[in-house]
Amino acid sequence: MEQANSIGSETLLDCIVIGGGPGGLQACIHLGRYNFRVVLFHTPGGRTGYAKHIENYLGIPVVSGPALLETGLGQVKSFGVAIENAKVDHVTPRGGHFEVLAGGRTWRSRFVIAASGAKETLAPFKNIARFFGHSYYTCMICDGYRTTGKKLLVIDRTVNGVRLSVGMKQMYTRDVTFLAHGFTLAPVYRALLEEEGIGLVEGRPEELLGESALEGVRMSDGHVIPCEVILGWGGISLNDEYLEGLDLDRDAEGFKIVTRGNGESSIPGLFVLGSLRVGHSQAIISAGQGAEAAIEISTRIVEIY
Ligand SMILES: Cc1cc2nc3c(=O)[nH]c(=O)nc-3n(C[C@H](O)[C@H](O)[C@H](O)COP(=O)(O)OP(=O)(O)OC[C@H]3O[C@@H](n4cnc5c(N)ncnc54)[C@H](O)[C@@H]3O)c2cc1C
């Protein structure tokens, strides 16, 4: 493996990969196996680290996010990719290549893959860190299955929670209650919930109860709603500070980055994948996008196709 600190500042790399989640690691595996000059910049953290039991990744019956990443990092190292444990501070397109500022140095590369993911914003309930990813879930695609047959509380600050509650009942469990957090539900939605046999509570949750297992939610008025699992609200903010000032196409909300099918952004040579980019966010999707970006880059570097 080439040491990143042995690469001189005059070296023009083939690709810099930013972020060692499933997307960045998979890109590195492909790029490393092309024998390209690649540096992976990586800081610990990331959404995959929260995933306690990934069960929807082909070929692996169940794996925790951290274990998946550890195995992936080993694969990346085995293919000669240099790894720099540093945060990328800025990316600047410059005369047909990129300058990447990281760890107090400027690196130069023909291509950049931005795979730095997103940060979770957790709801401000007491004890949420204890249960997040275990029995307080924010992603139905990731963890809906784990609510199967359990006493479920859906918490949402908007009427979207009604639709979610109905869907959860159809797919996973008959025992669903919807907690309308901080708003009063319109009569039409109350009627719908009643028709579907879904309980309704309105008010403000304050504390999640239980030690190793979730037992319920204490509301601000003191009353307790028992439950075994929660599908609650949470948000994400993108780890994209280092892209500030770049003329990147974003979605209608100006949030996620829009790419072409192969993952290239509106800036030629800058590929974007995973949670940063418009589309569904799953470990296996990020990994697939990482492979795709790497293959696309290889076709630009070597004319063999
Ligand atoms: C609780 C929970 C459970 C989940 N369960 C599942 C599941 O069961 N199945 C599934 O498929 N998906 C699951 N997910 C979703 C999955 O984690 C994401 O889809 C996945 O993390 C996206 O991968 P990524 O490579 O885009 O980003 P990430 O995994 O977030 O990795 C990005 C990496 O980049 C690093 N980074 C950030 N900024 C910089 C910078 N400036 N310089 C260098 N490095 C940087 C971060 O520290 C991080 O290590 C779950 C998510 C959560 C929160």
Side-chain angles (χ1 to χ4, degrees):
M1 181 185 47
E2 187 163 14
Q3 295 296 309
N5 58 15
S6 71
I7 298 171
S9 52
E10 71 292 344
T11 306
L12 180 61
L13 297 162
D14 292 312
C15 189
I16 282 178
V17 178
I18 304 169
L25 293 176
Q26 186 65 53
C28 285
I29 289 169
H30 274 70
L31 293 166
R33 293 183 71 256
Y34 290 124
N35 295 320
F36 289 157
R37 294 174 75 91
V38 182
V39 175
L40 166 67
F41 286 94
H42 178 55
T43 53
R47 300 190 68 216
T48 311
Y50 286 117
K52 304 289 183 290
H53 19 60
I54 296 175
E55 298 172 330
N56 53 6
Y57 203 103
L58 178 71
I60 305 176
V62 61
V63 66
S64 72
L68 181 71
L69 298 183
E70 196 184 326
T71 308
L73 199 60
Q75 284 174 275
V76 166
K77 285 179 183 164
S78 76
F79 295 122
V81 171
I83 296 169
E84 187 76 0
N85 295 314
K87 179 170 178 278
V88 168
D89 293 316
H90 206 259
V91 171
T92 314
R94 178 103 55 216
H97 67 273
F98 293 91
E99 287 183 358
V100 174
L101 180 64
R105 261 185 73 178
T106 299
W107 306 69
R108 296 164 66 239
S109 181
R110 298 170 72 179
F111 294 91
V112 168
I113 297 180
S116 48
K119 274 185 276 301
E120 300 292 322
T121 315
L122 296 182
F125 308 145
K126 199 171 163 204
N127 297 333
I128 195 161
R130 186 185 301 166
F131 298 107
F132 181 57
H134 285 289
S135 41
Y136 185 102
Y137 306 120
T138 52
C139 165
M140 189 267 277
I141 305 167
C142 306
D143 292 312
Y145 182 76
R146 303 192 69 80
T147 70
T148 301
K150 295 193 175 154
K151 190 170 188 57
L152 170 67
L153 185 65
V154 174
I155 306 179
D156 207 321
R157 295 171 296 179
T158 70
V159 290
N160 290 342
V162 172
R163 199 166 144 251
L164 189 56
S165 299
V166 172
M168 292 303 286
K169 181 151 187 187
Q170 284 171 2
M171 285 191 283
Y172 301 116
T173 177
R174 298 170 63 83
D175 191 347
V176 183
T177 301
F178 175 49
L179 196 170
H181 179 186
F183 72 103
T184 305
L185 206 56
V188 60
Y189 294 114
R190 290 172 177 275
L192 176 64
L193 289 177
E194 201 175 326
E195 202 176 296
E196 296 286 336
I198 294 170
L200 171 65
V201 188
E202 290 165 336
R204 294 192 176 273
E206 270 194 352
E207 181 179 5
L208 307 187
L209 303 173
E211 289 305 321
S212 54
L214 180 66
E215 291 169 7
V217 173
R218 188 178 56 73
M219 303 292 288
S220 59
D221 63 6
H223 94 273
V224 170
I225 307 164
C227 62
E228 294 172 282
V229 281
I230 294 173
L231 185 60
W233 60 270
I236 57 165
S237 56
L238 304 186
N239 294 323
D240 63 351
E241 299 85 353
Y242 61 90
L243 298 172
E244 216 176 287
L246 299 189
D247 188 19
L248 283 164
D249 285 352
R250 304 254 177 180
D251 61 16
E253 287 77 44
F255 182 50
K256 290 208 172 188
I257 297 168
V258 174
T259 65
R260 292 201 242 146
N262 61 16
E264 192 169 27
S265 70
S266 49
I267 296 179
L270 173 61
F271 288 71
V272 175
L273 54 84
S275 308
L276 285 179
R277 145 179 172 186
V278 170
H280 296 295
S281 188
Q282 286 281 277
I284 201 155
I285 294 177
S286 290
Q289 292 172 347
E292 187 174 48
I295 294 167
E296 179 63 27
I297 287 170
S298 79
T299 66
R300 313 264 183 104
I301 293 179
V302 188
E303 306 237 342
I304 53 175
Y305 291 92

